Amino acid sequence: MRVLIVDDETLVRKTMQSQIESPHVVSLADSMEEALDILDKQVIDLAFVDLSLDDSTDRIGLQLIQEIAKSHPTTVVVAMTGHDEGPLVETCMKAGAVDYLLKPFDRTTLTQVLRKAPVLHRLLRRNQTLKHQAGSKLVQHINLYTKSPTFKAVLDTAKKIRGANQSILIRGESGSGKEIMAQYLWSLENDSSRPFIAVNCGAISGQLAESELFGHKKGAFTGATETRSGKFESADGGDIFLDELATLNMDIQVKLLRVLSSGDIYPVGQDVGKKVNCRTIAATNENLEELIKEKKFREDLFFRIKNFTITLPPLRERKEDILDLAHEFLRKGNYGDKHFSSQAESLLLSYSWPGNIRELKSAVEVASVLADGNELQPSDITPHLVQSAPVYEEVLKNHSITEIDEKALEGRFSHLVSEFELKLIDFAMQKKGSESAAARYLGIPRSTLGDLRRRLAGIKK
């Protein structure tokens, strides 16, 4: 734990410091001003505050407790005094202290407080996380299940990095479940008190991003009427999830690199850094390597953010899970007796799902609301798909497998699939004119399309 002792008596400070052993890290302050300066520079888990920091009767320590409770709500505060006054205990608790020590106290009493403090800190941290999540869906522990060998390998990787504090990059197409994976990584830590703070980087403007992520001091800019913690400080001790990472401008990328390198955040209007300890999980569906070449994303940040990389397969590559997911969306939507016909299930399996899990969920939910009967038919689902007609359905309609010569098919499955992929890419390139536009048209990342073109180039030769 990071411990702060605030007392104007040097002997008291030094004695307490000598009694608090490693791995606890202790800071000392003899005044309210010095204590607030330390709190501005690092996140403190436990603060011992003497109520009488000078000879006045104003109880400066009580003012300090109130300031800590307001500006540093996850810090556990223990009040200290040499006066056994009943009403004072209640006053301290109302100000924000969680415990009260009568001086002088022995080492055993101090040890008991240190043992209780982590539990109290987790409770305060959880309470603060709930406040940040107020008005949005509360993050719950989740368990992911799959029948897909491809996705099972992804989950196995996620389990291997459990407990590691290094940053994680989640890559995958839009709608493939990157935020769900981030929540799963948080769930694997099995600690509800760990904050999970999600930030949609694409939804905050460049001017507000710095304050949103790192906080600001009172008076730092017009409208900054009070000191405000940023998302990184709120995530201290837990995980911060940066969705749509590639949308951050270059200036913010520099500041993010500093956080990942040193653990220091710099609130707007503050010249000194503040230590935080949180794991960064970032996600993107963009080709970061291409953005680096275009000077739109920092290469040093790319290597810092991808200590571990998890790449989510698109839904078309984990067809074993499609029906289970569709039935789960029906169940969670509470659509009564609605169920899929066998033809509807065939459609779900044959469609390429360019919008991935997000498109599947939307199609199931909208069809369930608008369908007249309880049995969902293909005609109930097709109007709500991104593509007007499933690709495979069109292929089967125009090219029956029974018409293919048996000898021509034997042993050539991979070659035939590659030929079909190449024809699709050639068609998209002719129709859209560039790799980027063709990739968007087909619903795949530009990097995937480029890799396919290079791999399949030999077929034409």
Side-chain angles (χ1 to χ4, degrees), residues 166-229:
Q166 290 94 332
S167 57
I168 302 169
L169 177 63
I170 304 175
R171 310 186 77 164
E173 296 178 13
S174 179
S176 56
K178 294 185 285 295
E179 184 165 357
I180 293 296
M181 176 53 63
Q183 292 181 23
Y184 178 68
L185 290 165
W186 172 80
S187 297
L188 288 174
E189 301 304 320
N190 197 30
D191 182 358
S192 295
S193 73
R194 280 174 58 88
F196 179 86
I197 304 297
V199 183
N200 184 344
C201 299
I204 52 178
S205 68
Q207 293 180 333
L208 295 176
E210 185 176 2
S211 173
E212 187 74 12
L213 291 174
F214 311 123
H216 63 254
K217 295 291 290 181
K218 180 179 179 180
F221 51 83
T222 303
T225 56
E226 60 182 7
T227 297
R228 181 174 177 270
S229 300

Side-chain angles (χ1 to χ4, degrees), residues 394-404 420:
E394 290 296 309
V395 171
L396 292 175
K397 183 171 67 177
N398 295 323
H399 306 281
S400 173
I401 194 72
T402 59
E403 296 175 5
I404 299 178
F420 182 64

Side-chain angles (χ1 to χ4, degrees), residues 9 69 94 109 111 157 161 248 279 300 336 341 387 390 410 414 429 441 458:
E9 295 184 34
K94 287 182 178 179
T109 301
T111 301
T157 299
I161 60 180
L248 292 175
R279 180 174 65 175
D300 47 6
S341 67
Q387 298 169 346
E410 186 175 1
S414 296
M429 287 292 295
Y441 175 70

Side-chain angles (χ1 to χ4, degrees), residues 164-330:
N165 202 38
Q166 290 94 332
S167 57
I168 302 169
L169 177 63
I170 304 175
R171 310 186 77 164
E173 296 178 13
S174 179
S176 56
K178 294 185 285 295
E179 184 165 357
I180 293 296
M181 176 53 63
Q183 292 181 23
Y184 178 68
L185 290 165
W186 172 80
S187 297
L188 288 174
E189 301 304 320
N190 197 30
D191 182 358
S192 295
S193 73
R194 280 174 58 88
F196 179 86
I197 304 297
V199 183
N200 184 344
C201 299
I204 52 178
S205 68
Q207 293 180 333
L208 295 176
E210 185 176 2
S211 173
E212 187 74 12
L213 291 174
F214 311 123
H216 63 254
K217 295 291 290 181
K218 180 179 179 180
F221 51 83
T222 303
T225 56
E226 60 182 7
T227 297
R228 181 174 177 270
S229 300
K231 299 296 187 183
F232 269 92
E233 186 171 346
S234 299
D236 184 64
D239 294 329
I240 183 168
F241 174 56
L242 303 178
D243 198 8
E244 298 188 36
L245 173 72
T247 62
L248 292 175
N249 64 43
M250 297 296 277
D251 289 340
I252 299 300
Q253 288 180 35
V254 173
K255 294 176 171 62
L256 178 57
L257 177 63
R258 182 167 55 190
V259 176
L260 295 175
S261 300
S262 65
D264 292 326
I265 60 170
Y266 285 77
V268 179
Q270 182 170 307
D271 295 329
V272 292
K274 185 173 192 175
K275 287 286 185 184
V276 294
N277 178 28
C278 61
R279 180 174 65 175
T280 300
I281 305 173
T284 183
N285 61 351
E286 297 287 344
N287 185 332
L288 295 181
E289 292 85 350
E290 287 294 325
L291 292 179
I292 290 170
K293 291 178 183 178
E294 297 170 4
K295 307 297 183 183
K296 295 179 179 178
F297 197 84
R298 294 183 61 94
E299 186 175 25
D300 47 6
L301 176 58
F302 173 67
F303 287 113
R304 179 68 67 172
I305 204 78
K306 63 181 288 293
N307 285 326
F308 297 107
T309 299
I310 292 177
T311 302
L312 300 182
L315 188 55
R316 61 183 173 276
E317 293 181 9
R318 45 181 292 210
K319 288 184 174 291
E320 302 90 341
D321 292 335
I322 288 177
L323 293 184
D324 285 342
L325 287 168
H327 288 295
E328 179 69 4
F329 295 145
L330 269 184

Side-chain angles (χ1 to χ4, degrees), residues 420-434 438 441-442 449 460:
F420 182 64
E421 287 180 319
L422 187 58
K423 287 179 181 178
L424 281 176
I425 291 173
D426 284 345
F427 173 77
M429 287 292 295
Q430 292 171 14
K431 187 176 181 67
K432 296 298 181 181
S434 70
Y441 175 70
L442 293 174
L449 185 140
K460 287 185 174 181

